[in-house]
Amino acid sequence: MSKLVIVGTVAFDEIETPFGKTGKILGGAGTFIGLAASQFNVDAAIVSIVGDDLPKEYLDLLSSRNIDISGIEVVEGGKTFYWSGRYHNDMNSRDTLVTELNTLADFNPVVPANYKDAEIVMLGNLHPAVQLSVLDQMDEKPKLAVLDTMNFWMDSALEDLKKVIARVDVITINDEEARQLSGEYSLVSAARKIHEMGPKYVVIKKGEHGALLFNNDNVFFAPALPLEEVFDPTGAGDTFAGGFSGYIASTKNISFDNMKNAIIQGSNLASFCVEKFGTERMVNLSKDEIKQRLTQFKALTQFEIELD
Amino acid sequence: MSKLVIVGTVAFDEIETPFGKTGKILGGAGTFIGLAASQFNVDAAIVSIVGDDLPKEYLDLLSSRNIDISGIEVVEGGKTFYWSGRYHNDMNSRDTLVTELNTLADFNPVVPANYKDAEIVMLGNLHPAVQLSVLDQMDEKPKLAVLDTMNFWMDSALEDLKKVIARVDVITINDEEARQLSGEYSLVSAARKIHEMGPKYVVIKKGEHGALLFNNDNVFFAPALPLEEVFDPTGAGDTFAGGFSGYIASTKNISFDNMKNAIIQGSNLASFCVEKFGTERMVNLSKDEIKQRLTQFKALTQFEIELD
């Protein structure tokens, strides 16, 4: 079993979709990544920061999934990061209504001593300076460092972001972000430019259109499972990243062929995430359901043309 | 070897893309379908109409591919259907500059006597009344009738279109058209509604995002090959349909599993079509190139997760 260090937000989300709206519920990239990774046989720790307004049951939930929470700083009298957003009818775009950084504004991540030797590091979407700090605290370069980021950091902290990008093995971003980062419209060309910035593996997420994994001239594609309805996309990208890194950690195999499997596992878990609000589906998910849906992914993509 | 009847336009196209512009060149759905189908071991005939302004070398080209052209009526003194269009920078949308129906305005398709027993019928994008007439001329219901159509006919000839849809086994349309035809946003729901209109198999083309094949609860997905650049998308959908129907005809197997292969073969051929203007790439395409790219499709999509 590999150790997996996850850095990411543990937060309050408040979500509105055409199907309804939530109150303040558990959210955050770190949360979604952790819940997804915990579906595999890993020794995972989340590094994060919250206020003491976060219900204890949320942290207990993470602990109950065998996620080490000693790296989640609880600031007495502090308020937890809060995000509120509203999805449009097509569910592909959303408006952020409120962002309150709160304790996140002064986040100095501290990797627990017994996780500084982790083989796998998953840098969830956060300020790149925070991500850099986590990498700096590791005893040695991890076997695999995976970075998730977004256009917000390209606009506001590009120099720091480039430093992180130069130090990771895998980057996961969406198609528009890949275009912005590379200045290339074609995703094939974009991936090549991003390779040159550091990462040997470039994962480009296309939402309902699936995800591409590039490793120089090798390309793999995983579709999103065609769903009757997407109920709430919040956390799908984080769940994908958590499934990816968790599967890699549990199999201890960073070959390209195993990354294909990891991409499928991430897509599989993300297909559940969007079925209910927030983390609801992810905390009520059985191994049998996961396996059954993997069978669907196989049926969806595997074919048998004989190439004589 | 199965017989394959193709009805579709043989036309002049004039195309402008960000990469350049052509003069009047060979185009038309029937042409692209025929060229794609002729890559397989089929006895194909094109039913169409042209004017005597169409250079004889264009018809000779089709003949040289073992495509029967006795069903292509040449109207003396008539002018061939002409379409001209300009693609936008993203290549995903285009403006039609000119459409001259010419001889196509009075097209009464005549299926050659020795093809009325064809096992497979491919109805290329045309007025649904023309498509119906071809079905009516067959000796008996073909083993597989495949329909390609577009939103233009939904807007202008919906009742006739519904009659054709009710009589075919497979329909291929793009995602927006599937939504328009069904009134459903989700493609899963759209496919279900379209099943109810007749076709047991619904193929939804998503352009650069690949294609979905639905057969009730069975779903298969084929990605488009990630390309560095799309040079000219003209004919890609027709080439896909031609590859699909041609492969089915050559294998004489209309099972869902073989349709998966047919979808891959169609996607594979379409990936070549877009590399050059018009039919240029399709007429200079070797069996080895096709096989080599099928290997790429396998690498792109196949994975090995053990489901113990």
Side-chain angles (χ1 to χ4, degrees), chain A residues 50-63:
Chain A
V50 297
D52 61 5
D53 57 342
L54 192 83
K56 185 168 172 302
E57 68 198 65
Y58 288 170
L59 295 180
D60 290 347
L61 169 69
L62 298 174
S63 290

Side-chain angles (χ1 to χ4, degrees), chain A residues 2-14:
Chain A
S2 293
K3 287 185 187 173
L4 169 65
V5 165
I6 297 160
V7 62
T9 52
V10 173
F12 283 124
D13 280 352
E14 194 161 349

Side-chain angles (χ1 to χ4, degrees), chain B residues 82-95:
Chain B
Y82 167 76
W83 174 84
S84 150
R86 182 190 293 137
Y87 288 88
H88 301 163
N89 275 331
D90 68 1
M91 299 300 248
N92 286 323
S93 55
R94 68 184 185 192
D95 295 326

Side-chain angles (χ1 to χ4, degrees), chain B residues 141-211:
Chain B
K141 193 184 175 311
K143 265 178 74 180
L144 199 76
V146 183
L147 166 70
D148 188 40
T149 188
M150 68 184 295
N151 53 359
F152 182 78
W153 310 113
M154 297 175 196
D155 297 332
S156 62
L158 186 59
E159 287 317 303
D160 277 342
L161 180 59
K162 282 183 175 169
K163 285 183 204 158
V164 195
I165 291 174
R167 288 176 59 182
V168 299
D169 306 286
V170 185
I171 181 173
T172 78
I173 45 179
N174 76 27
D175 43 1
E176 282 318 308
E177 290 158 354
R179 288 177 173 131
Q180 177 174 347
L181 185 62
S182 65
E184 295 283 343
Y185 182 79
S186 148
L187 297 181
V188 176
S189 308
R192 185 176 307 130
K193 281 270 177 78
I194 297 170
H195 277 319
E196 288 166 9
M197 300 171 75
K200 284 195 294 289
Y201 303 93
V202 177
V203 177
I204 300 182
K205 299 173 288 184
K206 305 198 295 171
E208 62 170 321
H209 298 304

Side-chain angles (χ1 to χ4, degrees), chain A residues 249-293:
Chain A
S250 76
T251 52
K252 297 183 150 207
N253 176 346
I254 61 168
S255 71
F256 184 73
D257 274 346
N258 198 50
M259 281 196 194
K260 293 183 177 185
N261 293 345
I263 293 276
I264 294 288
Q265 297 278 4
S267 301
N268 191 42
L269 291 178
S271 79
F272 288 105
C273 178
V274 302
E275 290 182 340
K276 300 253 169 108
F277 273 130
T279 61
E280 192 179 340
R281 189 66 180 96
M282 297 311 291
V283 299
N284 294 293
L285 183 57
S286 73
K287 292 269 188 286
D288 272 356
E289 287 175 307
I290 294 173
K291 200 165 121 184
Q292 198 265 328
R293 196 164 285 185

Side-chain angles (χ1 to χ4, degrees), chain A:
Chain A
M1 182 184 333
S2 293
K3 287 185 187 173
L4 169 65
V5 165
I6 297 160
V7 62
T9 52
V10 173
F12 283 124
D13 280 352
E14 194 161 349
I15 302 158
E16 195 176 332
T17 78
F19 303 106
K21 72 193 298 276
T22 69
K24 273 178 161 185
I25 57 174
L26 174 62
T31 302
F32 283 104
I33 293 170
L35 289 174
S38 72
Q39 291 290 347
F40 304 100
N41 188 28
V42 292
D43 179 4
I46 296 179
V47 177
S48 194
I49 189 166
V50 297
D52 61 5
D53 57 342
L54 192 83
K56 185 168 172 302
E57 68 198 65
Y58 288 170
L59 295 180
D60 290 347
L61 169 69
L62 298 174
S63 290
S64 75
R65 305 286 156 136
N66 288 319
I67 299 167
D68 184 289
I69 59 165
S70 63
I72 304 182
E73 182 186 351
V74 181
V75 179
E76 271 186 59
K79 288 183 73 184
T80 299
F81 173 58
Y82 167 75
W83 174 84
S84 152
R86 182 189 294 138
Y87 288 88
H88 300 164
N89 275 331
D90 69 359
M91 299 299 249
N92 286 323
S93 54
R94 69 184 185 193
D95 295 324
T96 288
L97 303 177
V98 184
T99 305
E100 289 174 9
L101 287 181
N102 300 330
T103 51
L104 196 65
D106 303 305
F107 179 30
N108 289 307
V110 179
V111 178
N114 52 333
Y115 283 92
K116 292 191 176 185
D117 60 352
E119 294 91 339
I120 315 286
V121 173
M122 176 70 233
L123 305 171
N125 176 39
L126 264 178
H127 196 295
V130 172
Q131 297 173 320
L132 275 174
S133 164
V134 167
L135 284 182
D136 286 340
Q137 292 173 57
M138 303 305 291
D139 286 342
E140 55 185 52
K141 192 183 176 311
K143 263 177 76 180
L144 198 76
V146 183
L147 166 69
D148 188 41
T149 188
M150 68 184 295
N151 52 0
F152 182 79
W153 308 115
M154 296 173 196
D155 297 332
S156 62
L158 186 59
E159 287 317 303
D160 277 342
L161 181 58
K162 282 184 174 169
K163 284 183 203 157
V164 195
I165 290 175
R167 286 176 60 182
V168 298
D169 305 288
V170 185
I171 182 173
T172 79
I173 46 178
N174 76 27
D175 42 3
E176 282 317 310
E177 290 157 355
R179 289 177 173 132
Q180 178 175 348
L181 185 61
S182 65
E184 295 283 344
Y185 182 77
S186 148
L187 297 180
V188 175
S189 309
R192 184 176 306 130
K193 281 270 178 76
I194 298 169
H195 277 320
E196 289 167 9
M197 300 170 75
K200 283 196 294 287
Y201 302 93
V202 176
V203 177
I204 300 183
K205 299 174 287 184
K206 305 197 295 172
E208 62 170 323
H209 299 304
L212 285 158
L213 165 66
F214 292 91
N215 169 229
N216 301 317
D217 288 339
N218 296 318
V219 195
F220 178 68
F221 176 81
L225 201 73
L227 294 172
E228 184 112 19
E229 120 191 338
V230 170
F231 189 83
D232 171 21
T234 309
D238 306 313
T239 298
F240 174 85
F244 177 85
S245 54
Y247 182 78
I248 296 277
S250 76
T251 52
K252 297 183 150 207
N253 176 346
I254 61 168
S255 71
F256 184 73
D257 274 346
N258 198 50
M259 281 196 194
K260 293 183 177 185
N261 293 345
I263 293 276
I264 294 288
Q265 297 278 4
S267 301
N268 191 42
L269 291 178
S271 79
F272 288 105
C273 178
V274 302
E275 290 182 340
K276 300 253 169 108
F277 273 130
T279 61
E280 192 179 340
R281 189 66 180 96
M282 297 311 291
V283 299
N284 294 293
L285 183 57
S286 73
K287 292 269 188 286
D288 272 356
E289 287 175 307
I290 294 173
K291 200 165 121 184
Q292 198 265 328
R293 196 164 285 185
L294 277 175
T295 310
Q296 280 182 266
F297 264 94
K298 280 206 157 188
L300 180 67
T301 55
Q302 307 301 286
F303 60 88
E304 278 306 331
I305 293 181
E306 282 176 36
L307 299 170
D308 47 275

